[in-house]
Amino acid sequence: MSSPTTTHRTQVLVIGSGAAGLTAAIAAGRNGADTILVENAGFLGGISSTLPWLGFHDRDYRLVVKGMPLEFCRRLQAAGAASDFVLDPKCASAIGIDSHWWKILLMQLMREAGVRVLLHSQVVDTIREGDRIAGVIVENKSGRQRIEAGVTIDCSGDGDVAARGGVKWEKGRTADGLVQAPTLVFKLGAVSREGFVAGCKNPANNYREWLAPYPDLWEKMMRRIDRMDLIICGGYAALIEKARLAGDFSVPQTRIVGVKLHRNDEYLVVMTRVLGLDPTDITSLTDAYSKVYEQIPVLTHFFQKYVPGFERSYLREIAPMLGIRESRRITGDYVLKAEDLIAGRVFDDAVSMGGYHIDIHRPAGTWVDSHNVRTYTIPLRSLIAGGVEGLMMAGKCLSATHEAVASTRVVPICMGQGQAAGTAAALAVKHQRSVRELSISELQDTLARQGAEFGRTLEPPDQRAIDEIGQLPIDEPPTTGDRDAASAAAGAWVERR
Ligand SMILES: Cc1cc2nc3c(=O)[nH]c(=O)nc-3n(C[C@H](O)[C@H](O)[C@H](O)COP(=O)(O)OP(=O)(O)OC[C@H]3O[C@@H](n4cnc5c(N)ncnc54)[C@H](O)[C@@H]3O)c2cc1C
């Protein structure tokens, strides 16, 4: 293997520009650290650039993610490139963004924060000196380069830095190591909003299964649906069954999952699906791409033929990257668990928050396993890689169990973690200390000054919204049907608690 031709040196190095990495890099830059952001793709944003953002709010309809992620929303809204927040009884809230404007804004944000960006650059090795992670080796058009850093933050989604640096990680669920099913999302255009909403109003379609057991919630949704900017779907099981029996549906999915986007005629389909993927195995990954590209025409024809409002729709855009919901999770100083989320645990070293439900797209079955949560905090210790110095992580790589990461993985919560990790890394290099030796109060004060929410400025529950929208109970009945062997075996994890 050739030796690196160039050596870069930086105080903070962030790998991956998804929701977590982009926010970590901007936070580090804004807090005065010399920062490099390395990204494999030719654009910034990772999966956040391909879909609406869910979960800025909690089940009491108050903002639990603020700071930089909220600032990004406001800047997009000011540019006419994002919807208002739409409150929702299952996902708490959704905001629609215009993907292309988000990518444009991201370049500007990096320039403003003084972050040096390396695109089309892949981490191929990790520099480990004893028990310290000292940077990475990347490959790109210029050849092989060495990047040395004071603190490295792994936001690759796959824990690539940790895995190549011999740092402990886990992947998938305990029973069989399988990760959540991945999905390549795509957009349909020329959808009739009126036709689609009429279909949602027909109870026979059961467009949102979560609401079916609660007539009160259903009625409240029906009262708002005509004026909602975004409409989230998870249902239509009978329609899919009808299409399957007619030989028109061969995708391993039994519900319509998707979002009627804020752009009037656009719908995001979240239904391609591959069972049993290993996202860190290139043969498995390539096979997944081959399968989802086969499924897109099947799904497009299904929508045109069966779903109200889609009669004239057409395939408008396929996302640039397969959506991997889960991959390597780096084992940190604390492993966040489902119990912490369901209990709404408040940690002394809290640095960000979340309130999104646990949302597991079954690794080898269809539909989801789900559990609602209370508003919880994320501790700094879950952002620090265990057993080494110099390595942090955020986003899908967070130190959390398969179940907990199924809540913390949504865009706003990943961004909140990113702001915390980037700020902690900047303070650590400033004080020439390990992140473990940081004063928690100094870090929390800095985050609070910069608008981040970790419990200090949480508003009371929004009673008006609760009355208007309603609330699902914390303990819902387990989702029915379509369980794969591991989620059915010995009862799903939810029932084992
Ligand atoms: C199909 C799907 C639907 C979803 N729907 C929603 C939704 O509607 N709303 C919501 O809020 N959340 C949703 N989520 C969750 C959320 O979008 C993701 O979990 C979140 O965006 C992950 O952010 P991340 O920064 O951890 O990872 P990613 O967005 O995956 O970013 C990782 C980045 O690292 C780069 N990278 C990887 N390896 C390397 C390497 N070796 N060298 C250099 N760069 C590398 C990648 O190119 C990528 O840009 C969905 C997820 C999926 C998969």
Side-chain angles (χ1 to χ4, degrees):
M1 212 179 270
S2 61
S3 319
T5 49
T6 315
T7 299
H8 304 276
R9 288 194 181 82
T10 188
Q11 292 178 311
V12 176
L13 169 63
V14 181
I15 309 304
S17 75
L22 71 91
T23 321
I26 296 168
R30 286 186 185 177
N31 280 288
D34 181 29
T35 305
I36 292 182
L37 172 64
V38 171
E39 169 56 52
N40 198 12
F43 65 94
L44 300 175
I47 303 173
S48 76
S49 298
T50 68
L51 27 80
W53 301 345
L54 305 174
F56 266 94
H57 293 73
D58 67 0
R59 62 193 296 277
D60 291 328
Y61 304 112
R62 49 194 177 166
L63 275 167
V64 293
V65 182
K66 299 177 185 165
M68 286 174 30
L70 188 58
E71 175 201 327
F72 302 155
C73 294
R74 300 294 183 227
R75 284 178 77 156
L76 285 169
Q77 286 168 331
S83 72
D84 287 335
F85 284 112
V86 175
L87 301 179
D88 180 84
K90 184 65 184 173
C91 300
S93 70
I95 176 169
I97 58 140
D98 290 339
S99 311
H100 301 304
W101 286 108
W102 174 227
K103 293 181 203 169
I104 292 167
L105 175 62
L106 275 172
M107 289 291 182
Q108 189 186 331
L109 286 163
M110 294 304 161
R111 282 194 298 272
E112 287 171 5
V115 174
R116 288 185 280 162
V117 176
L118 283 182
L119 291 177
H120 286 306
S121 300
Q122 179 161 15
V123 169
V124 293
D125 209 350
T126 298
I127 307 168
R128 182 168 177 154
E129 293 166 355
D131 69 354
R132 205 178 97 74
I133 299 300
V136 299
I137 306 292
V138 299
E139 289 267 9
N140 55 31
K141 285 284 181 192
S142 305
R144 202 170 165 80
Q145 289 155 40
R146 182 180 170 90
I147 310 180
E148 295 172 359
V151 179
T152 303
I153 310 178
D154 189 343
C155 297
S156 65
D158 289 313
D160 282 353
V161 181
R164 283 161 176 76
V167 177
K168 199 173 162 215
W169 51 267
E170 292 192 339
K171 192 169 55 179
R173 56 187 174 184
T174 318
D176 53 15
L178 288 182
V179 299
Q180 290 198 42
T183 296
L184 181 62
V185 300
F186 65 94
K187 284 180 188 167
L188 295 175
V191 177
S192 154
R193 186 186 152 89
E194 292 69 33
F196 167 73
V197 170
C200 293
K201 286 180 177 172
N202 178 356
N205 285 330
N206 201 4
Y207 93 97
R208 199 84 194 280
E209 276 189 21
W210 307 110
L211 305 182
Y214 310 101
D216 179 44
L217 290 191
W218 168 263
E219 269 170 38
K220 287 179 170 172
M221 182 66 90
M222 290 303 107
R223 258 180 247 148
R224 297 193 302 138
I225 197 161
D226 286 310
R227 55 194 157 86
M228 280 165 48
D229 269 350
L230 286 98
I231 301 171
I232 304 169
C233 293
Y236 290 91
L239 216 56
I240 292 191
E241 194 48 27
K242 185 174 159 197
R244 197 184 298 282
L245 290 173
D248 288 333
F249 199 93
S250 52
V251 176
Q253 176 57 286
T254 52
R255 305 294 191 279
I256 289 185
V257 182
V259 183
K260 171 71 195 64
L261 296 170
H262 63 298
R263 292 296 168 204
N264 206 31
D265 70 338
E266 253 179 17
Y267 189 89
L268 184 80
V269 182
V270 190
M271 293 172 71
T272 64
R273 195 178 178 94
V274 178
L275 307 181
L277 165 89
D278 179 353
T280 61
D281 176 299
I282 196 59
T283 307
S284 175
L285 197 56
T286 308
D287 178 57
Y289 271 94
S290 166
K291 286 191 171 122
V292 291
Y293 271 94
E294 240 178 90
Q295 293 171 3
I296 289 173
V298 175
L299 289 163
T300 302
H301 295 142
F302 160 75
F303 272 90
Q304 290 163 338
K305 186 167 170 186
Y306 289 91
V307 187
F310 288 79
E311 297 78 5
R312 289 164 182 272
S313 66
Y314 69 95
L315 176 58
R316 181 173 282 173
E317 188 178 342
I318 300 177
M321 51 169 65
L322 179 67
I324 306 286
R325 291 190 169 85
E326 185 190 0
S327 185
R328 295 189 192 99
R329 308 179 316 268
I330 302 169
T331 307
D333 288 357
Y334 182 79
V335 181
L336 196 67
K337 297 171 190 61
E339 295 81 79
D340 298 325
L341 278 47
I342 293 168
R345 190 155 171 204
V346 178
F347 292 94
D348 289 344
D349 59 339
V351 285
S352 67
M353 296 195 93
Y356 191 75
H357 63 282
I358 294 170
D359 183 17
I360 302 175
H361 292 247
R362 291 188 178 125
T366 65
W367 195 217
V368 291
D369 285 317
S370 163
H371 201 289
N372 297 328
V373 302
R374 295 185 172 79
T375 311
Y376 58 85
T377 58
I378 297 177
L380 176 66
R381 284 165 297 151
S382 293
L383 302 172
I384 301 176
V388 287
E389 290 294 336
L391 183 63
M392 301 186 75
M393 60 276 183
K396 288 182 296 188
C397 306
L398 183 75
S399 176
T401 61
H402 165 74
E403 292 82 14
V405 93
S407 162
T408 60
R409 70 188 177 85
V410 286
V411 168
I413 305 177
C414 287
M415 287 178 172
Q417 296 163 39
Q419 178 166 1
T423 306
L427 285 180
V429 294
K430 181 175 151 199
H431 296 313
Q432 298 185 315
R433 277 193 213 141
S434 152
V435 277
R436 288 192 175 86
E437 293 161 1
L438 276 183
S439 145
I440 291 296
S441 57
E442 184 190 1
L443 173 60
Q444 290 176 332
D445 289 347
T446 307
L447 286 167
R449 268 198 313 277
Q450 295 172 7
E453 183 60 88
F454 48 92
R456 270 201 194 166
T457 56
L458 207 55
E459 286 86 15
D462 183 341
Q463 196 55 49
R464 211 167 62 109
I466 295 173
D467 292 343
E468 189 190 348
I469 297 154
Q471 269 178 329
L472 287 169
I474 288 282
D475 288 305
E476 286 177 280
T479 45
T480 52
D482 317 323
R483 284 199 173 155
D484 57 48
S487 58
W493 63 273
V494 178
E495 291 152 37
R496 282 201 306 272
R497 282 175 33 243

